[in-house]
Amino acid sequence: MTLARSEIERFLHGQLDAWNAHDREAFFAFYREFGRDGLTIDYVGKPRRDAWAILETMWADHNARMRLEAVKAVINGHEAACHHRNHIDAAGVVIETMELYDFGDGTLSIRYFIDA
């Protein structure tokens, strides 16, 4: 079953809005909902790790100091590609990311390309 475009958009916008609002509960709820039957997250070029551990670490290490800006999102079928700017305002740093999302029937697979 392919998710409707509106559902993919709801995830993409919702998780980003929750991140910027520092709303941990809402942020994780999106991942639990869309990855209820399986969640994988891959930092391209890094060893594989548990997806939930990645999200926990990401939140603990970066949420308080990082603001996300959606530059562009392209959705084709059950996949999305997003360009985000990760602003660390206190340090005057911007980290560009390309993020690939593959939405299945209760599964979500994400690949992060980070220009660090």
Side-chain angles (χ1 to χ4, degrees):
M1 172 176 122
T2 300
L3 282 180
R5 180 184 182 92
S6 61
E7 282 297 285
I8 293 172
E9 290 172 339
R10 184 171 68 84
F11 173 85
L12 296 176
H13 296 295
Q15 59 95 25
L16 189 132
D17 291 344
W19 176 274
N20 285 336
H22 310 291
D23 186 343
R24 186 183 187 285
E25 184 175 321
F27 179 79
F28 279 87
F30 279 104
Y31 288 88
R32 282 191 301 277
E33 176 185 352
F34 285 84
R36 69 185 171 276
D37 295 326
L39 176 66
T40 60
I41 298 175
D42 180 24
Y43 280 104
V44 175
K46 303 287 184 184
R48 292 267 170 143
R49 294 181 21 223
D50 176 76
W52 294 106
I54 288 172
L55 287 177
E56 290 285 355
T57 300
M58 181 189 308
W59 187 271
D61 291 353
H62 303 295
N63 181 262
R65 63 186 183 98
M66 185 177 288
R67 176 180 49 87
L68 301 180
E69 173 192 358
V71 177
K72 180 74 175 173
V74 176
I75 299 170
N76 284 322
H78 61 89
E79 296 182 77
C82 299
H83 173 199
H84 288 162
R85 288 196 178 109
N86 302 264
H87 296 269
I88 305 171
D89 293 328
V93 172
V94 174
I95 300 168
E96 305 280 345
T97 59
M98 296 299 296
E99 303 174 6
L100 303 179
Y101 297 83
D102 188 348
F103 295 86
D105 186 14
T107 62
L108 176 57
S109 179
I110 305 168
R111 300 191 76 212
Y112 292 123
F113 292 78
I114 301 172
D115 185 19

